[in-house]
Structure formats: structure tokens, C-alpha cells
């Protein structure tokens, strides 16, 4: 009897516990094509609860009440009302049929759109006109706190995936999975970053400041681990990929890509706008405006904006994402959701929002909630595994129009730490500042990662990953490598074998010892390099902000003028040359360097070095004493110099590895200047001279036409010096496209003692290809470059005018292979196709002038991988 009563109690009284909500999950498709429809509005009939489908047509809703119907509406389709069962879970497959329908005074048709007499276009024009008074930057001052949570998940975990052989040692990780209510996909969280910031703004004079008060990362980006991942750099890289979105900005940056915003001046040429509904929220009447790009492949958004139908025309809510066909690599889904609210101003001059008097100037609108979701997949498919990124931000503690001290904005750096403990806040601090408690799976990330690190198989895979990623194999406190330079070949050495090593933090954290030994099987000569770097900070050398000294000694072959981006001279891939490469310098150099970087991104480097240049291969140091028909030869020359380089890169951030750093792309310019002085009769130095070089570089984002990287460089050599000490302009004789070298210029082809160089790299990001039906699916991107070099040489630096200077090198026929630029500049341009197979780029390069010089390539095809 007790058992019967217990059974009756559990089954009867547990019903309201487990069925107290009405939930609906489903997918919306086109009834004719069966294509999934994104951003369809789905609501509970009679309730103010609704959602929109994601990029794959999926949706999920729930309610504590008992709705019996849902409504599905979409531009160009018949509105559909479906019955559901309240207080239970409903699975639906919704099919919408295309239709022409009337809304207000506009007829919406699925395949025809007009801007003329379109109330949605007029409404968006009013939003654009009033944006300065609605966006927070229209205020004199503001200050608020921001809590931000960024999470990375391995998405699409299936039973088949769990049973894979290589997961056998890691079965425990699947105890920490979550199920997405919308997509029903199972995800495994493996990284979590929390940040708490205070943001301040002053309108006049303009000033912005973000103070980082706390940051906490849980995952593999642990600077204390053997992986030596850069925790701060990883955070900065995440910020560059997923920055804050301002819907009022005409150009919106995401994923280091600039999108044209729906509220830009050119929005009407990029977007279609429709008013799909009018709703009421907190007593304010709103228009629901749907927008979508006219070309699905363009870098633009699609979604909905709720606009206040009052005198403010303010944006109250945004839900937007991208089309499946967008020319954006790896992105399976992208969604931005923002909510705005009117915040009561604390200024005594403004009327409060809860006053009984009419509000002539409504309180300012501020962003109060921001959600950002992006799903990465190698093949851009909704099925299979992917990397799911979720960023949630909440804004609180607003202070509006209260004056802020000038000292707050005195530092030009935008993001600063309020103390050295921002990444070491205790758990109780986070419990006080966190706006939402962590979920079970989020709390379990740290324990899961710690367990993974102790699995032997993971340690093996970690070693392989470090080897492939950095090129070095770690053995205790020493790294052996890099593997890319172990084997190479050239015309002088024949086959070259090189073995190198460097110490890591296990040896001694502030000290790095490194070196290599190489041997050429044709010249039968050993080459080597040794270097030591000591950091005066507690970090490893080269970690920003660096304060370090280094000393190095090297004896090795060098190609005059070779300067390849990201590749060393003896990398295997640079062994393949399109022209003879038999004129080298054998350098023996001793170099001292002191580098100091400051928090405002101003840095200087002091250098002193002595270098002996010796001829190698077919290179000759031939000169005249001044007597008729007197030709002499010299085997080497000595230079002794000291100098300083100053660099200023405002707001630049890096991702830093054990011995390298990669700058994170930004819109800010970089300036540098260097001055070197050569000393005669000091440590054997044979020449007195000064070399001055200045440069400025900047990236310009010009959506929808892509982006341009500009580099302007100028240099001047003062004094009388032989050609190895002149500016030997950087040439590239490989078949690999190099952005910073002249890809059709031969080694030592041009020298100057004064020059001005302009280098422009442009990526149209598919602007033209997106409009060609046969090409848009390939997602190719148009790329182009333009390089122009002005140069000259004083008469005193020509061997025929100054005895003792070396004559320019000649080929076997007696023709000079080195030249001086005349009145016309050297020009090199290229057009190409990028994003081939998502990673390759092919350029057709040509030079329109100086084509008459012997042995030059007039055009060529170059390949690179990005």
C-alpha cells in the first residue's frame, strides 16, 4: 500500500514540476525549396514573447504561461499560425509559403524591391539623421561598468564523435557537455574568459578610457604551463576578433573585417529594408524593421531593428547576423543581439525619467545587454564539429553627464590596468562583480583542463603541436630547431645542413641563449651564430614591455638586400630561385643591443656593432686607386657603427610566444625612425657615414571596397661609402609572393643613397567577384599591389668618381647587374586572386619600366599561403 501511495505521489505531483513550462523547438523552411530560413520572427500568439530563427532556421522559445498557438512571420511569406500543446515540449517543422502581402502602404514581394515610397527606407533615414542624439557619444560625459564573458566550445559532439579512438584517454571530458536549446547540438566548453571593466568618455576635448579591473581565463591559455601561451596576448587577440559593436557606426569591425552597417550613409545601396510589424514595449510604439543585403555574398548583415516611433527614432533592440553565402571564411553562423534602455541622467540639468512632468528631452539611451555568437567550421557546414564562440556583456552602474577628471584621459593608451593584480583576483572578488553565476559546465572547465594536462597521450600530442606550430622540439630546458632551416640549398654552399637550439624558461626565465651551426657541402665551410639575451623584467626576453640587452656573434653567408617577410634566408622554401644567386657576402659580426619599451607603445633600441664583409661566390670588391687602368681587388671591408631606432605604435597589442611576437591588426598607424653612425678608425672601421630612415604604416578599412595597407619609407645616407653600405633595395628572387620586397627585382639590382618608397597592398574582399554568379560561390577575393620607388645616388658615391670605392658587380658578360634609379621611379604592380581553397593566393606581377636591363623578369606569377 505504501508503494502504491508513493507511486501515486511521484507521478501525480511531479507533473507540474517537470511540465511547468511551454517550450517550442523547431526549424523553419521554405515550403517550395525546403531551404532553411534565417531570422524568421516566431512568437507565442497573444504574448509578448518571441524569438527569431538562427542562420540555419532553428528556433527555441519557452514560457511559464499556457499559450496554445505560435505565429511565424517573414518578409515575402505568408504568416503562419500553428497550434501547440501548452505546458509541454513541442517539436515543429514549419513550412512557409511565398506570397505578396500588404503592410501599411507598401506591398512586399519576395523578388521585387523598391526604395521609392518605401516607409522602411524613410524610417531608416530618420534613424540615421537622429543617430548623433541617440548614441552615447552624443553625451558630454559617461561612465559605466561592464561585465563580459567569452566562452569557446567544441560544438557538435555526437555519440560517434565520442567513440573515436583518439578520445579513449579523454572520455571524462564529455561529462562537462551542454546542449544548445536552439540547435540541439551538444557542445563541450574548453575556454572561459571573464572581464570586468570601467569605461569612461569625454566629448570635448575627446577622450576615451577603458580600465581593466579584473580578468580571469580558464583554459589552455595558461602562461604558467609548458605550452607558454600568452594569456594577455590571447585576450587581446580575442578582443580584436570580437570587438564591441556600435549599431550606429557606418562601418562595423568584426573578425578583423569591416562590414557595412545598416545605418551607414550607403546603406540604401547595400541593403533592402522592410517594416514587418509594429509592437509596443514599455508604453513605446516600435517599428520592427527587417534588413538584408542586396547581395548575399557582400560583407553586410541581415536581421531586425526595433525603432522607436516617436520624435527620437532611437534604436531599442537589434538582432542581426550574416547570410550563409557571405564571403567570410570558416563562419557557419554569426549573430549579434543588443538591447538598449533609457538611463536616468545624474546631471542636475536634466529631467529625470520618473518625473510626473512631461519629458521634453528623454533620458539618454545606453546599451545594457550585448550578446555575440559565432560558429566556426572548416567547411562552413552546419553539420559536424565546429568552434562555437559566445560573448555576453552586461552594462551597469551608469553615470551620465557627470564631469570626469582630465587626468583620467592623460594616458593615450585606450585600455589600461587599474593595478598589477587584475589577473589574480580572488574568487570572492568575482562573486561580487559577476552579474550572472556560472553554469555547471563553465565551472567545470578548469578541472577538466587540469585532468587533460595529466594524460600522457595529451603530453605527446602537445609536443607534436608545439613542433609543428613553432618549428622547435622541446627537450627539457632546450628547444631544438627550427625544422624549416635544417635543410636548404643555394649556388654557393650547395646542400646546407643547419642545427640550432635555444633555451626556454625551464633553463632560466630572464635569460635566452641561442645559436646554430651550419655546414655547406660545396664550399666546405662552417657557419655559426651565438646570442644571449637578458631581460631586466621578470618576464622572458621580447615580452612586452621589454627591457633587455643582448649580445650576438655570427659568421655566415648573407644575400645583399634580401629581406623576406616571416622567412629566414636559409629556409627550405627560399632555396628555389628564379634567377642566379651566386653573389653572397660572408659576414662576421659582433653586435650589442639594448631594447626598451614603454607602456604607451613608445620604444627605443640602441645598437652597436662591428661587421666584416667578405666576398663569396662571384661577388668581387673591385676598385681603382685613381691611376689610369688601375684595377685592384679587396677580399673584405670593415664597418663599425652605432645607432638608435625609435618606434611609436599607439594602442598596438601583440600575441607573444616563447621567442616571437605577432602584432594584432588594428586601425592605428605605426611610426619609426632610425639613425646609424659609422665610425672610421674605430675597431677597424673603414668608413664614416650616417644613415637616416623614417617610415609610417597604416591600415585603411574602406568597406565595402575592402582594406588597404600603406607603407611609406624614406632614407638618406650621408657620407662616401661603397655599395654594400648603400641602401640595397629589397628584392625577392623566389616564387613566393612577398608583400615587403620587390618580387621582380633581382638581388642587388638597385642601390641608392637617398630614396622614397611607397607600398600599397589592397584586398577588395570579393567586392567584384561577389556580383558574378559563377564566381560568388567560390568566395574568391580580388587582391592587388602597387609599389613605387624613387631613388638616386650622389656623384661622390660612384666608383668612377671616387677612388677606393667598389665598382658595381658585373655578370660574366661584363654587364653591370647593379644600377642607379634615374628620373623615373621603379614601379611594380600585381593583380591576383586570394582565398583560393581558403588559404592560397596567386598574383600576376609585372614591372612597366626598367625592362631593358639585362637578366630581369618583366612579369611573373607568384604564390603565397595566408
Amino acid at each position: 500500500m505504501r508503494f502504491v501511495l508513493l507511486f501515486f505521489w511521484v507521478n501525480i505531483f511531479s507533473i507540474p514540476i517537470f511540465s511547468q513550462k511551454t517550450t517550442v523547438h523547431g526549424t523553419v523552411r521554405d515550403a517550395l525549396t525546403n531551404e532553411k530560413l534565417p531570422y524568421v520572427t516566431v512568437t507565442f500568439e497573444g504574448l509578448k514573447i518571441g524569438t527569431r530563427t538562427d542562420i540555419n532556421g532553428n528556433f527555441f522559445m519557452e514560457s511559464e504561461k499556457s499559450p496554445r498557438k505560435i505565429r511565424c512571420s517573414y518578409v515575402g511569406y505568408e504568416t503562419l499560425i500553428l497550434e501547440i500543446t501548452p505546458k509541454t515540449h513541442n517539436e515543429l517543422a514549419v513550412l512557409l509559403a511565398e506570397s505578396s502581402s500588404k503592410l501599411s502602404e507598401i506591398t512586399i514581394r519576395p523578388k521585387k524591391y523598391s526604395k521609392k515610397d518605401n516607409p522602411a527606407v524613410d524610417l531608416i533615414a530618420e534613424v540615421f539623421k537622429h543617430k548623433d542624439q541617440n548614441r552615447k557619444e552624443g553625451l558630454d560625459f559617461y561612465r559605466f561598468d561592464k561585465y563580459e564573458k567569452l566562452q569557446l566550445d567544441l560544438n557538435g559532439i555526437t555519440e560517434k564523435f565520442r567513440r573515436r579512438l583518439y578520445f579513449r584517454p579523454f572520455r571524462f571530458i564529455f561529462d562537462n557537455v551542454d546542449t544548445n536549446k536552439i540547435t540541439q547540438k551538444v557542445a563541450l566548453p574548453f575556454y572561459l574568459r571573464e572581464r570586468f571593466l570601467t569605461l569612461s568618455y569625454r566629448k570635448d576635448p575627446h577622450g576615451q578610457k577603458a580600465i581593466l579591473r579584473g580578468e580571469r581565463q580558464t583554459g589552455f591559455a595558461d602562461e604558467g604551463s609548458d605550452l607558454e601561451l600568452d594569456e594577455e596576448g590571447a585576450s587581446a587577440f580575442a578582443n580584436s576578433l570580437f570587438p564591441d559593436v556600435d549599431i550606429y557606426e557606418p562601418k562595423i569591425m568584426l573578425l578583423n573585417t569591416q562590414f557595412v552597417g545598416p545605418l551607414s550613409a550607403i546603406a540604401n545601396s547595400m541593403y533592402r529594408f522592410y517594416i514587418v510589424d509594429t509592437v509596443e514595449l514599455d508604453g513605446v510604439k516600435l517599428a520592427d524593421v527587417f534588413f538584408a543585403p542586396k547581395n548575399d555574398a557582400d560583407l553586410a548583415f541581415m536581421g531586425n531593428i526595433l525603432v522607436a516611433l516617436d520624435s527620437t527614432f532611437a534604436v531599442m533592440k537589434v538582432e542581426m547576423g550574416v547570410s550563409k553565402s557571405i564571403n567570410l571564411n570558416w563562419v557557419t553562423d554569426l549573430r549579434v543581439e543588443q538591447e538598449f534602455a533609457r538611463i536616468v541622467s545624474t546631471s542636475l540639468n536634466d529631467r529625470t525619467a520618473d518625473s510626473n512632468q512631461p519629458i521634453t528631452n528623454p533620458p539618454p539611451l545606453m546599451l545594457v545587454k550585448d550578446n555575440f555568437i559565432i560558429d566556426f567550421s572548416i567547411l562552413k557546414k552546419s553539420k559536424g564539429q565546429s568552434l562555437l564562440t559566445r560573448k555576453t556583456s552586461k552594462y551597469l552602474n551608469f553615470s551620465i553627464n557627470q564631469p570626469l577628471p582630465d587626468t583620467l584621459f592623460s594616458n593615450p593608451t585606450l585600455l589600461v590596468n587599474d593595478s598589477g593584480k587584475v589577473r589574480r583576483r580572488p574568487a570572492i572578488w568575482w562573486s561580487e562583480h559577476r552579474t550572472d553565476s556560472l553554469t555547471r559546465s563553465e565551472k567545470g572547465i578548469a578541472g577538466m583542463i587540469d585532468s587533460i594536462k595529466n594524460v600522457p597521450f595529451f603530453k605527446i600530442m602537445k609536443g607534436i603541436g608545439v613542433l609543428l606550430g613553432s618549428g622547435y622540439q622541446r627537450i627539457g630546458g632546450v628547444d631544438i630547431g627550427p625544422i624549416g632551416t635544417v635543410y636548404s640549398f643555394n649556388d654557393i654552399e650547395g646542400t646546407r645542413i643547419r642545427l640550432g637550439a635555444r633555451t626556454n624558461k625551464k633553463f632560466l626565465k630572464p635569460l635566452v641563449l641561442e645559436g646554430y651551426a651550419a655546414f655547406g657541402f660545396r664550399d666546405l665551410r662552417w657557419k655559426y651564430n651565438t646570442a644571449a639575451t637578458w631581460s631586466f623584467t621578470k618576464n622572458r626576453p621580447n615580452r612586452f614591455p621589454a627591457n633587455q640587452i643582448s649580445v650576438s656573434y655570427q659568421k655566415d653567408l648573407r644575400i645583399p638586400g634580401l629581406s623576406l617577410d616571416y622567412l629566414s634566408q636559409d629556409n627550405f622554401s627560399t632555396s628555389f630561385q628564379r634567377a642566379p644567386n651566386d653573389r653572397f657576402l660572408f659576414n662576421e659580426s659582433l653586435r650589442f643591443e639594448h631594447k626598451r619599451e614603454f607602456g604607451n607603445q613608445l620604444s627605443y633600441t640602441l645598437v652597436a656593432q662591428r661587421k666584416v664583409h667578405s666576398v663569396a661566390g662571384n661577388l668581387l670588391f673591385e676598385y681603382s686607386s685613381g691611376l689610369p687602368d688601375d684595377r685592384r681587388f679587396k677580399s673584405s671591408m670593415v664597418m663599425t657603427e652605432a645607432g638608435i631606432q625609435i618606434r611609436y605604435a599607439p594602442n598596438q597589442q601583440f600575441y607573444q610566444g616563447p621567442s616571437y611576437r605577432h602584432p594584432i591588426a588594428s586601425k592605428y598607424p605605426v611610426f619609426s625612425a632610425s639613425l646609424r653612425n659609422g665610425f672610421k678608425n674605430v675597431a677597424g672601421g673603414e668608413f664614416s657615414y650616417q644613415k637616416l630612415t623614417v617610415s609610417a604604416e597604416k591600415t585603411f578599412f574602406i568597406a565595402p571596397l575592402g582594406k588597404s595597407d600603406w607603407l611609406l619609407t624614406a632614407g638618406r645616407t650621408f657620407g662616401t661609402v661603397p655599395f654594400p653600405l648603400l641602401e640595397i633595395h629589397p628584392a625577392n628572387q623566389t616564387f613566393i609572393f612577398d608583400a615587403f620586397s620587390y618580387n621582380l627585382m633581382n638581388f642587388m639590382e638597385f642601390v641608392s643613397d637617398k630614396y622614397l618608397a611607397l607600398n600599397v597592398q589592397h584586398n577588395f574582399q570579393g567586392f567584384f567577384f561577389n556580383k558574378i554568379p559563377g564566381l560568388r560561390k567560390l568566395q574568391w577575393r580580388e587582391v592587388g599591389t602597387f609599389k613605387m620607388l624613387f631613388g638616386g645616388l650622389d656623384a661622390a658615391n660612384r666608383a668612377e668618381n671616387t677612388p677606393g670605392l667598389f665598382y658595381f658587380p658585373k655578370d660574366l658578360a661584363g654587364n653591370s647587374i647593379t644600377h642607379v634609379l634615374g628620373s623615373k621611379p621603379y614601379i611594380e604592380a600585381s593583380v591576383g586572386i586570394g582565398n583560393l581553397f581558403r588559404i592560397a593566393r596567386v598574383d600576376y606581377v609585372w614591372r612597366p619600366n626598367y625592362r631593358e636591363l639585362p637578366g630581369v623578369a618583366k612579369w611573373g606569377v607568384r604564390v603565397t599561403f595566408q
Side-chain angles (χ1 to χ4, degrees), residues 363-623:
L365 272 172
M366 301 295 284
L367 181 64
V368 294
K369 188 176 180 181
D370 187 9
N371 292 328
F372 179 73
I373 300 172
I374 183 167
D375 205 8
F376 296 96
S377 175
I378 293 178
L379 299 178
K380 290 190 71 170
K381 293 182 178 180
S382 58
K383 295 182 179 180
Q385 285 71 52
S386 61
L387 175 65
L388 181 65
T389 304
R390 293 182 284 180
K391 177 185 170 185
T392 302
S393 303
K394 291 191 176 180
Y395 305 82
L396 60 158
N397 302 329
F398 291 91
S399 174
I400 305 298
N401 286 336
Q402 289 294 302
L404 297 170
D406 293 341
T407 54
L408 179 64
F409 306 99
S410 59
N411 188 332
T413 305
L414 292 180
L415 177 64
V416 297
N417 298 342
D418 71 337
S419 74
K421 299 180 180 179
V422 294
R423 291 178 175 84
R424 298 192 298 273
R425 299 294 191 190
I428 190 172
W429 189 94
W430 282 106
S431 63
E432 294 171 351
H433 290 80
R434 186 181 289 128
T435 58
D436 292 318
S437 59
L438 297 181
T439 65
R440 179 193 61 83
S441 59
E442 290 170 344
K443 293 177 182 178
I445 293 177
M448 181 189 69
I449 296 299
D450 289 340
S451 300
I452 290 176
K453 290 177 181 179
N454 293 325
V455 176
F457 180 71
F458 171 77
K459 295 178 180 180
I460 296 173
M461 297 303 296
K462 178 190 70 176
I464 295 174
V466 170
L467 175 63
L468 296 177
S470 68
Y472 285 86
Q473 175 62 53
R474 174 159 298 181
I475 304 176
V478 177
D479 298 336
I480 308 298
I483 58 176
T485 60
V486 171
Y487 170 76
S488 61
F489 55 89
N490 58 66
D491 294 341
I492 304 298
E493 296 175 283
T495 296
R496 173 184 168 110
I497 302 298
R498 167 177 154 173
L499 295 176
R502 69 186 183 198
T503 60
N504 56 54
K505 67 176 185 179
K506 288 186 176 180
F507 179 81
L508 187 61
K509 188 173 184 179
L511 176 66
V512 171
L513 302 176
E514 56 186 325
Y516 66 81
F519 183 77
F521 286 85
R522 180 176 296 172
D523 66 351
L524 301 178
R525 197 170 186 178
W526 283 98
K527 298 91 181 173
Y528 56 86
N529 174 74
T530 59
T533 304
W534 175 265
S535 174
F536 294 105
T537 68
K538 296 180 181 180
N539 288 324
R540 294 273 288 166
N542 296 318
R543 307 286 283 189
F544 180 85
N547 182 11
Q548 63 192 45
I549 58 171
S550 62
V551 57
S552 64
Y553 181 73
Q554 182 185 61
K555 293 184 71 172
D556 203 349
L557 289 170
R558 282 291 174 262
I559 301 173
L562 177 64
S563 177
L564 294 178
D565 188 29
Y566 300 123
L567 290 176
S568 64
Q569 174 183 291
D570 55 352
N571 190 283
F572 172 73
S573 61
T574 64
S575 300
F576 302 91
Q577 302 281 330
R578 58 175 173 80
N581 181 25
D582 56 2
R583 293 173 177 84
F584 282 60
L585 288 172
F586 191 87
N587 292 338
E588 179 181 359
S589 63
L590 177 64
R591 178 184 176 96
F592 297 90
E593 181 180 295
H594 171 58
K595 184 176 184 179
R596 181 70 187 273
E597 296 175 326
F598 302 94
N600 60 359
Q601 295 294 352
L602 179 68
S603 66
Y604 68 81
T605 303
L606 300 174
V607 176
Q609 64 178 341
R610 180 183 186 273
K611 185 178 291 186
V612 180
H613 296 283
S614 301
V615 294
N618 291 329
L619 184 65
L620 298 175
F621 287 167
E622 182 183 4
Y623 67 99

Side-chain angles (χ1 to χ4, degrees), residues 630-644:
D630 177 60
R631 292 296 179 99
R632 302 185 181 186
F633 297 91
K634 194 175 183 181
S635 61
S636 64
M637 55 169 279
V638 181
M639 53 150 285
T640 304
E641 70 176 25
I644 183 172

Side-chain angles (χ1 to χ4, degrees), residues 761-821:
Q761 313 278 328
H762 190 82
N763 189 333
F764 285 95
Q765 296 181 325
F767 179 78
F768 298 105
F769 288 161
N770 290 346
K771 295 169 177 57
I772 303 175
L775 293 179
R776 59 187 296 181
K777 290 185 178 181
L778 298 175
Q779 297 197 339
W780 290 351
R781 297 171 189 168
E782 319 84 348
V783 293
T785 66
F786 177 79
K787 300 174 183 178
M788 183 166 56
L789 172 66
F790 294 90
L793 190 66
D794 292 345
N797 280 322
R798 300 173 185 262
E800 58 268 26
N801 298 329
T802 305
L805 293 186
F806 304 147
Y807 291 100
F808 289 161
K810 296 180 175 61
D811 59 20
L812 296 179
N815 300 313
S816 176
I817 66 169
T818 302
H819 311 277
V820 178
L821 290 165

